[in-house]
Amino acid sequence: MALGTVNADRFQIRRLVVHLARLAVFVSIIVLIHLQYAKSSARVTPIADLSVDQVDALFPAAATLVGVASDDGRMAVRDADGQSLGYVVQTSPQSDHIIGFSGPTNVLIGFDDQDRVVGFTILSSEDTRDHLLEVQQSERFMSSLDGKSRDEIGHGAVVDAVSGATLTSLAIQESIIHRLGGEVGSLRFPAPLTLDDVKRLFPNADHIEPDPVHASLWSVQSAGDPVGQVLRSSPAADNIVGYQGPTDVLIGLDRDGAVVGIAIGKSYDNEPYVGYVREDSYFRSTFDEMKLPEIAKADLYEMRVEGVSGATMTSMAVADGVVAAAEKHLAQIEREASRPKRRSEFQISVHDIGTGIVIIAAIVIGSTSLRANKRIRIAFQLTLIVYLGLIAGNLLSQAMIAGWAKHGVPLQMAPGLTMLAIAAFACPLLSKRNIYCSHLCPHGAVQQLIKGRIRYQIKLGHSVSKLLMLLPGLLLLWCLVVSMAALPMSLVDIEPFDAYVFRIAGWATIAVFVVGVVASLFIPMAYCRFGCPTGRLLDYLRFNARSDHWTVRDWVALSYLGLAIWLSTGH
């Protein structure tokens, strides 16, 4: 008896040590992804660290740079004889807040001794690689400021954007103008308001005119009488990006300063997302009857503002833009140096509560004899598909895990999804049950419902099954490489989960969904067994009968960690 007890204790200790080692490998990879992203997204190349090679494109005769940057960020450039050729300045860090398609760009600008531009070049960028390349290959754009004085540029010497890379090129322009002259008008939405724009908010309007002091404010008249004003969110919200770009929002104010509604103007965001917001009258009434001071101090979480279904990022960017416009307008009026700070309190929406209830139900059903009740099981599977999948859109994916590894867990923005992730990872770590795959995944529920529904079933040989089971691990490897090497690949495309939000799903995601479901008709749980990297990850972290053994999977995981370490060193 004593010997058996000792052996049991040793088994438990060994299993705990091995399991903690697995967890350590997983956590280490997540930390490395985070650190790699933080390192690769460093926005500033300190001007004192510039080399002569970096200014060669602007000053071919450059031989030396002054060792210490001047107070305004200039760095003198001299030739081999010590004669001055001019100077250079960087847009970073002063213009780091100006975002293009997906990030800011640090531009090096060269001036001659008469303060005229000799050219500019890109030092570093967080923007999308393809968009940046399009800009750099545009000789017209890259030479557009040549010969212009610093004063001309500082007061907004605008040039045409690069077709196909509009947001990136506009952001580069704004970064240069802001660095040399401070605040500028909007380059993204330069067109003035029209009467037709305003009539969406004031149908009886017959005359509009811009405010002489505030460029974003327009007065509205009807039959010679003032009926209200329209405040544009641009340029205050030009750097608030929804899914793929900013949106200009028109805010209608009556004569008492209360909001009568908002209208969506021009947008760089994707259709049909913008269209969904335009058509949702409930969302567009969010700020009705509020006044600008209330909006400027508004906490969207406290107001329980929820985005438009299928266009959450776009609609929440619109709401944030309204708040930003109110903030900036009031700051201009009051001549304050900074905007009012918004609170950021944790709030739970109806969908978050629903997701929490589903999670609790899944744990109860998966941990008790209820899982053997066919009626309960089928009803719950349908609940997962309809509510958690099609309505709430809460599914775990490699794209989500990689994004959270880079940016952190969005507890305040997505508490329901956060709770789902906690349940998904905590249950395998603390028990023998992979609750997410068996009782929480809508796609798993689809496969369970169709399992064995047709008579003809394909039986795979042992060798074929073993070969196919390598695919999820290879997909995990691909996710690691994409995340660590910052490859311009979308991890969304390798899994079917975005297909549940079908209005925004891409063709690659839909194709994976269709192939997986069709395969599962003939091979039970085909996608879960042979195609799901997220399920394979959760299964790796699960307690099982061989949790006390260091297996081949552990050596593979360790090799992934070694690869992550190697990639983090810059290879």
Side-chain angles (χ1 to χ4, degrees), residues 168-181:
T168 300
S169 54
L170 288 178
I172 290 174
Q173 287 186 52
E174 288 190 28
S175 296
I176 294 172
I177 294 171
H178 178 77
R179 174 66 179 85
L180 301 179

Side-chain angles (χ1 to χ4, degrees), residues 93 108 118 122 169-170 195 208 213 228 259 302 352 410 451 460 481-482 514 531 541:
L108 183 69
V118 298
I122 308 300
S169 54
L170 288 178
L195 188 58
I208 59 172
V213 177
V259 174
E302 188 175 67
D352 296 326
K451 183 170 62 175
L460 300 176
V481 173
V482 169
V514 172
L541 296 174

Side-chain angles (χ1 to χ4, degrees), residues 183-252:
E183 295 296 329
V184 296
S186 175
L187 297 182
R188 290 169 170 81
F189 308 104
L193 286 185
T194 66
L195 188 58
D196 287 339
D197 293 330
V198 173
K199 280 188 173 182
R200 287 184 286 163
L201 297 168
F202 297 96
N204 297 323
D206 56 18
H207 180 71
I208 59 172
E209 59 183 43
D211 187 272
V213 177
H214 305 288
S216 296
L217 190 66
W218 293 67
S219 298
V220 183
Q221 295 180 2
S222 176
D225 295 323
V227 294
Q229 295 175 309
V230 172
L231 178 66
R232 299 180 68 174
S233 66
S234 178
D238 280 4
N239 289 302
I240 297 178
V241 177
Y243 188 75
Q244 282 196 340
T247 297
D248 188 19
V249 185
L250 313 182
I251 308 162

Side-chain angles (χ1 to χ4, degrees), residues 6 323 402 423 430 434 450 455 461:
V6 170
V323 175
L430 302 176
N434 183 348
I450 65 176
R455 180 173 298 179

Side-chain angles (χ1 to χ4, degrees), residues 462-477:
H462 180 70
S463 298
V464 175
S465 292
K466 288 190 69 174
L467 186 64
L468 289 175
M469 289 188 72
L470 296 176
L471 181 58
L474 293 175
L475 289 174
L476 284 174
L477 178 62

Side-chain angles (χ1 to χ4, degrees), residues 393-437:
N394 282 341
L395 299 95
L396 301 189
S397 68
Q398 287 303 298
M400 184 210 78
I401 294 170
W404 289 11
K406 292 176 181 179
H407 306 288
V409 178
L411 182 59
Q412 293 177 342
M413 289 294 293
L417 194 55
T418 303
M419 289 187 291
L420 190 67
I422 291 173
F425 282 95
C427 288
L429 286 170
L430 302 176
S431 70
K432 295 181 180 180
R433 302 186 185 280
N434 183 348
I435 289 292
Y436 179 79
C437 289

